[in-house]
Amino acid sequence: MHPLQVWLIALSSLALLLLARNLCRAGRWPAFPLQLPAVATVVWAISRSLSPLVMPLGYRPWFALLDELVLIYAAIRLLLWVGLEVPAALKLWNRPPEILLQLLMLTSGTVATVVVFKELARFDLLGLVTTSAVLTAMIGLAAQEPLKDLFAGLELQLDEHFQQGDFVWLEDGTAGVIVEINWRDTCLRDLTGTLVIVPNTKITSEVVRNHGAFGFMGNRFSIGLDYAFPTTQARQLLLESVRQHPRVLAEPEPIVWVKEFADSAILYDIVVYQAPGGLAAQLSLRSDLLEQIWYRLERAGQSIPYPVRELRRQAPQGKTSQPVSSAEAERRRLLALNPLFKALNEEEIDRLASHIRCVRYAAAEVIVREGDRGGAMYQVVKGSVDVWKQKPGEAPIHVARLEAGALFGEMAMLTDSTRSATVQAQEECLLLEVNREHIGPLLQDNPELMERLAQLVSGRRAELEGLELASRLAQQNQLLRAMQQLFTTLGFTAERPEAAAGDAAADRAEAGRSQATVGERSGTADGPGGGAADRP
């Protein structure tokens, strides 16, 4: 055959091999074994195109032997791909472990090499090894450890307890995510991104913890709280704190145990579950939880006690790190800036400032949750918060970001309605918290204050929603009645008879104005207060 024809055939074969590889990639089939067939094609073309003048006659049998071996190796690899990997892609059976393919390739290639040497070179490799006791002993000793690793790797890949992507922890402290199991070693990626190579025999001979074997990964840590903090309340606080984190799984449920009464604190054991991952995912979640627990403890007036080394008896003392804006004068100034409390006189502001407090929240911590009952309103003093709405079966929708000076939660506080949105800290933020119990005594002493608050709150809502005057007045009366009912139930105030009669007369007048306004607007669908959405 002419050399030009030989190379045209070789180039056409290489093009077909490249096409087969690209088709396998596009169709998500098993990776096509390109290397050995490509090398066999090139070696075949060279052996067929060299003339006797270029290659001495004595070297041609050895080159032909090489050509024959490479072609056989390529054929074996293609047969393994077609016979084992392709049926696995068609879901006829599970994909064979990589080490099994390597072992079959090694065994088949060894047998082929012995046969080809015996037939073409008249050289018996098997007889040479078996008749030489020294060579046999040398090969046996040299292959002892590799054979152990080979069988250990085969055991690991055939066993379903380990697979790529699992996070494992060895008895000697080595930890990482499995990235590969070959015939000799298991390769791990540790926390710093370093490749850690562990012999297979070490994996099979030691105690190994597989953290993702059951579809989730446990995360266990301890924290110490003050002896003055009742254990039932402490466990409830810790459970509420860890449950709100989005990466903590609801099933299995988080667990909090009382671990022991230590020297300076009561130790609590916390176990949460997260999606399988590596050590970095474990440490990241643990860091977030510890940070949010610290802020939650501060808001509850508790702290993590320092170690105490004293020989005298001492009563427990609460140590609370207060926010920078906790001074009463600063709280009084913030209340004066609050648009809802501009109706208060100086004495009322002083009374309210003596009871309210400033609280801090960690980044990503939920402040109020949609659907919960709300007994407090908040004013953003420092930082920013995000407002989210949740629709059934859909991802949360980001509604707004509130910066310093913004208010939220006033409607739920004044009417005992549910929160209409979830508010989450975007960064570490400082909030002024005003509870319903703090407003109640002021309303009891000054009944007219309730009407002014209802007017201010409904006015703010009307501005945001663009309501007409008639709808605004109807909404104001509706809010006032809800506030009177709530605070009367709580025992802080009672509705005055003359106020009730005045409200009834006002309602009748406003109903007439509302009907006239509706007629002028030619059929607006919303009635009094219609279309309004509660603020969170």
Side-chain angles (χ1 to χ4, degrees), residues 136-442:
T136 303
M138 291 176 60
I139 294 177
L141 291 174
Q144 185 176 1
E145 291 302 324
L147 283 176
K148 288 182 180 179
D149 291 326
L150 173 63
F151 287 112
L154 188 61
E155 178 186 350
L156 289 175
Q157 292 216 3
L158 294 178
D159 194 352
E160 297 182 354
H161 294 159
F162 295 95
Q163 58 184 353
Q164 290 186 10
D166 285 350
F167 171 46
V168 296
W169 200 300
L170 274 64
E171 191 176 10
D172 64 354
T174 303
V177 177
I178 298 177
V179 296
E180 182 186 2
I181 301 176
N182 56 42
W183 68 273
R184 188 184 62 182
D185 304 308
T186 298
C187 301
L188 309 177
R189 184 183 67 250
D190 71 358
L191 175 64
T192 62
T194 304
L195 182 65
V196 181
I197 299 176
V198 183
N200 290 330
T201 51
K202 184 177 180 64
I203 301 289
T204 56
S205 62
E206 289 190 1
V207 176
V208 181
R209 295 179 177 87
N210 187 349
H211 290 261
F214 296 102
F216 53 82
M217 182 169 62
N219 200 333
R220 180 177 179 178
F221 56 97
S222 298
I223 188 170
L225 301 182
D226 200 290
Y227 271 94
F229 196 13
T231 55
T232 301
Q233 298 178 26
R235 292 178 65 247
Q236 185 64 29
L237 181 145
L238 294 174
L239 278 174
E240 291 176 357
S241 183
V242 299
R243 280 173 178 165
Q244 74 170 7
H245 199 285
R247 281 191 287 159
V248 174
L249 300 179
E251 185 64 33
E253 294 184 355
I255 304 171
V256 176
W257 289 297
V258 178
K259 184 178 180 181
E260 64 173 301
F261 296 110
D263 292 340
S264 305
I266 300 177
L267 295 184
Y268 296 85
D269 227 3
I270 303 174
V271 181
V272 298
Y273 300 93
Q274 62 188 103
L279 183 59
Q282 255 191 349
L283 297 179
S284 173
L285 177 60
R286 189 179 305 172
S287 174
D288 287 352
L289 293 178
L290 288 173
E291 181 179 6
Q292 294 182 8
I293 287 172
W294 190 93
Y295 283 94
R296 199 176 189 94
L297 287 171
E298 182 194 56
R299 295 194 299 273
Q302 300 293 332
S303 64
I304 300 173
Y306 290 101
V308 178
R309 296 290 183 268
E310 293 185 348
L311 299 179
R312 59 185 177 88
R313 189 180 183 87
Q314 183 178 13
Q317 297 179 358
K319 301 182 178 72
T320 304
S321 174
Q322 295 294 336
V324 294
S325 297
S326 60
E328 186 172 339
E330 179 66 12
R331 297 198 301 271
R332 189 183 303 111
R333 185 187 70 81
L334 293 173
L335 282 174
L337 297 176
N338 192 314
L340 293 184
F341 301 122
K342 288 184 177 179
L344 301 180
N345 56 42
E346 292 187 3
E347 181 183 354
E348 290 170 335
I349 288 181
D350 289 341
R351 287 180 59 187
L352 188 58
S354 64
H355 293 95
I356 65 173
R357 61 176 184 162
C358 288
V359 293
R360 283 188 289 193
Y361 283 82
E365 193 174 2
V366 175
I367 303 169
V368 299
R369 191 178 299 277
E370 184 176 0
D372 290 350
R373 290 285 177 180
M377 63 161 287
Y378 299 89
Q379 176 181 350
V380 182
V381 178
K382 186 184 297 183
S384 59
V385 299
D386 288 326
V387 183
W388 299 85
K389 288 285 291 182
Q390 177 70 59
K391 293 184 178 180
E394 299 182 9
I397 301 173
H398 184 260
V399 177
R401 175 164 293 176
L402 306 181
E403 305 289 345
L407 306 177
F408 62 91
E410 68 274 13
M411 186 60 63
M413 180 196 72
L414 294 175
T415 62
D416 197 30
S417 58
T418 59
R419 304 288 188 183
S420 61
T422 297
V423 181
Q424 185 180 33
Q426 193 269 335
E427 55 186 335
E428 183 191 51
C429 60
L430 181 65
L431 306 177
L432 184 70
E433 182 185 63
V434 181
N435 284 298
R436 186 182 299 131
E437 291 76 10
H438 303 148
I439 297 291
L442 299 180

Side-chain angles (χ1 to χ4, degrees), residues 457-479:
V457 172
S458 60
R460 279 170 47 83
R461 292 182 61 189
E463 291 177 3
L464 292 173
E465 300 166 7
L467 298 181
E468 299 290 342
L469 177 61
S471 297
R472 181 181 302 186
L473 292 175
Q475 186 184 92
Q476 177 179 335
N477 283 336
Q478 184 180 3
L479 174 60

